[in-house]
Amino acid sequence: MAGPPGLMRIVDLIRKKRDGGELSREEILFLVSGAARQTIPDYQLAAWLMAMVCRGATRAETASLTEAMLRSGEVMDFSDLPGPKVDKHSTGGVGDKTSLIVAPIVAAAGGPSSPVYVPMLSGRGLGHTGGTLDKLESIPGFRTNLSKQEFRDVLTACNCALGGPTPEIAPADKHLYALRDVTGTVESPGLICASIMSKKLAEGIDALVLDVKAGSGAFMKNENDAAALAELLVETGKRMGKRMVALITDMDQPLGRNIGNALEVKECLQVLNGQGPADLRELSIELSAWMLLLAGCTADLVAGKRLAEEMVATGRARDKFREIIRQQGGDERVVDDPARLPQAKRTEVLRSAHSGFVSRMACEQIGTACVILGGGREKQDDSIDPAVGIALGKKVGDSIRAGEALCTVHYNSDSRLREALDLLEGSFVFADEPSAQRPLIFKTIES
Ligand code: URA
């Protein structure tokens, strides 16, 4: 048993958790504030994190952890802006690019007399998954490192701002996340929940739509684990007074057809122009509809979908994206001329040796192939190549003949190409008959 706060010893707290005890709110606050101020050595924090992963965090510990991480920094206050504030967050996947579509759709839907605000703070690529900030930064000139005041100015001007967490936002998470990344302590529902929610709650939002990914390309590999995480996230947000919904969605194959930063922006522009792959369009409309419903703009989900589709059909969402790019210093001409996005010097087509149907894709491996090409980071301070990536010719359920293109690899470095191709070659599984299609959305969890 650890003593009163003044007498707390880190080693006692580690032991308590290691032996299956439940840490109190004060004990968690003590650990988290030590992490934020960097007064606790990393080896002790890492030992505590490992005990949390192995023993699991209780609901009360998760709530205390979220609150302590949120309070380790500032909470933005946009209560003076005359409209609801709503955001969307995905737990991460491959080709997972909906943020660049839903943010302008929802911001455009509010209109001048009844604005809806989307203050979206996103992250960078993590492991094999892509990050919204890296995708946005593939637009020449686009700035995501906005100061607090710049973020507010863009939000006021466009009803939407797309930035990265400022140093004032959840600094404890920043430190703990970097440690978790290198100590095998990412995959804990309690730690993931506190990490995500502390940053999202700091945005000063009223409502949040969560896209919790399940499948081989997600952190949660099966639907049950994803549902448990989703419930935890929804409950945590609700307890903090937010309107919440979580969608459990498929990540057993990449979303859309393009993987890689500039290639993904290009695909988002296709969707904003009323084209693009059906799965990406469908999920973007569904997520936007939930955002509009939770923001109180529509009476039900059907009306939300109608409004979201109207924003695309009329070009208002695309025009909003152009406005956001301009406000954040980017080259808005990419919207009408995507060829202005960075382009890889070379392409290589990977052809199938089989005929039949694509029955499965090793989604994480495809994400890793993109990282190897330079589209993601292998180490935290690696720079990334915005132009490289993979354009899928075939997805699960598609028929294929030997010699047909499975995918096209966009690359700049010959030495990386071979390794990426080997991974990609082993990522497609074939069958003689078409397999049953997995649904795109498995489940919705409402608060
Ligand atoms: N994304 C986060 O921000 N934190 C996690 O722990 C996992 C995914």
Side-chain angles (χ1 to χ4, degrees):
M1 171 68 194
L7 303 175
M8 271 186 219
R9 290 190 339 133
I10 306 297
V11 66
D12 293 333
L13 304 185
I14 297 170
R15 280 203 193 103
K16 182 176 176 183
K17 190 65 212 173
R18 180 200 65 191
D19 296 340
E22 183 179 59
L23 296 177
S24 69
R25 189 169 170 271
E26 290 68 34
E27 288 166 340
I28 287 183
L29 191 60
F30 182 59
L31 286 156
V32 170
S33 58
R37 288 184 280 115
Q38 300 190 29
T39 52
I40 301 176
D42 284 354
Y43 54 81
Q44 285 190 310
L45 287 174
W48 165 59
L49 290 168
M50 188 56 85
M52 294 287 278
V53 171
C54 295
R55 287 293 182 175
T58 64
R59 294 260 161 154
E61 284 176 327
T62 303
S64 303
L65 197 55
T66 309
E67 192 196 337
M69 301 216 319
L70 173 65
R71 306 280 165 216
S72 74
E74 287 179 20
V75 176
M76 295 200 265
D77 180 8
F78 300 122
S79 55
D80 57 312
L81 297 182
K85 289 96 206 168
V86 60
D87 192 13
K88 186 254 6 164
H89 181 80
S90 161
T91 54
V94 180
D96 180 14
K97 51 186 87 69
T98 58
S99 291
L100 277 63
I101 303 167
V102 303
I105 288 179
V106 174
S113 57
S114 51
V116 184
Y117 295 93
V118 185
M120 190 181 270
L121 295 178
S122 304
R124 299 201 175 273
L126 186 66
H128 66 281
T129 68
T132 300
L133 297 183
D134 297 327
K135 297 175 216 244
L136 287 168
E137 286 175 4
S138 73
I139 300 171
F142 196 101
R143 283 187 54 228
T144 60
N145 63 338
L146 305 177
S147 67
K148 267 193 316 180
Q149 188 57 47
E150 286 172 327
F151 189 83
R152 168 179 276 277
D153 291 345
V154 177
L155 183 64
T156 309
C158 302
N159 296 3
C160 175
L162 305 171
T166 62
E168 297 89 357
I169 299 290
D173 179 63
K174 203 163 189 224
H175 189 64
L176 289 175
Y177 197 85
L179 260 184
R180 287 168 61 212
D181 205 16
V182 292
T183 55
T185 52
V186 172
E187 292 89 347
S188 148
L191 296 180
I192 293 177
C193 174
S195 168
I196 291 175
M197 293 306 288
S198 60
K199 288 173 287 198
K200 288 285 135 181
L201 294 169
E203 290 174 344
I205 46 175
D206 305 303
L208 179 63
V209 176
L210 292 155
D211 182 2
V212 180
K213 299 290 188 195
S216 61
F219 290 117
M220 297 291 141
K221 302 294 178 200
N222 66 62
E223 202 187 318
N224 287 344
D225 288 349
L229 174 61
E231 275 165 24
L232 197 56
L233 289 160
V234 167
E235 188 191 302
T236 305
K238 196 177 144 200
R239 201 179 295 136
M240 305 291 279
K242 309 298 170 191
R243 295 190 289 280
M244 304 283 298
V245 71
L247 275 59
I248 317 288
T249 71
D250 186 39
M251 191 30 72
D252 225 25
Q253 62 174 330
L255 185 63
R257 293 200 172 246
N258 287 2
I259 304 120
N261 298 294
L263 287 169
E264 293 192 39
V265 173
K266 198 167 153 194
E267 198 166 58
C268 291
L269 289 169
Q270 287 167 2
V271 173
L272 289 170
N273 276 313
Q275 295 148 9
D279 59 347
L280 179 60
R281 276 200 325 257
E282 184 188 333
L283 185 57
S284 301
I285 294 295
E286 182 85 18
L287 291 166
S288 304
W290 274 107
M291 289 171 79
L292 291 166
L293 179 61
L294 293 198
C297 298
T298 57
D300 56 37
L301 197 62
V302 175
K305 283 191 199 178
R306 216 179 299 124
L307 184 56
E309 274 160 3
E310 188 190 320
M311 291 305 110
V312 175
T314 55
R316 285 175 58 190
R318 182 199 52 220
D319 294 345
K320 179 59 76 179
F321 192 44
R322 187 186 284 115
E323 192 186 334
I324 298 165
I325 294 175
R326 186 187 327 126
Q327 286 285 338
Q328 296 197 209
D331 182 352
E332 64 189 282
R333 293 173 299 175
V334 300
V335 173
D336 301 303
D337 184 8
R340 289 181 176 275
L341 288 163
Q343 314 249 10
K345 287 195 213 78
R346 291 183 285 278
T347 56
E348 173 85 13
V349 177
L350 175 66
R351 296 189 185 279
S352 176
H354 305 265
S355 293
F357 293 86
V358 178
S359 63
R360 217 164 46 76
M361 285 163 101
C363 190
E364 178 170 346
Q365 224 166 279
I366 296 174
T368 304
C370 183
V371 173
I372 289 169
L373 289 168
R377 295 175 189 78
E378 292 179 7
K379 294 190 293 321
Q380 231 168 7
D381 46 4
D382 282 351
S383 59
I384 60 168
D385 183 340
V388 299
I390 299 145
L392 297 172
K394 297 286 174 185
K395 290 191 61 173
V396 174
D398 288 348
S399 66
I400 179 121
R401 276 174 289 106
E404 259 192 290
L406 285 169
C407 63
T408 302
V409 180
H410 296 242
Y411 69 104
N412 280 324
S413 152
D414 290 326
S415 61
R416 291 171 181 232
L417 176 67
R418 191 63 261 160
E419 201 185 335
L421 279 175
D422 287 346
L423 265 186
L424 288 168
E425 230 162 349
S427 299
F428 292 83
V429 180
F430 303 93
D432 292 335
E433 302 293 328
S435 48
Q437 285 280 354
R438 276 162 68 97
L440 181 60
I441 300 166
F442 298 119
K443 202 171 173 182
T444 303
I445 295 170
E446 293 179 61
S447 57

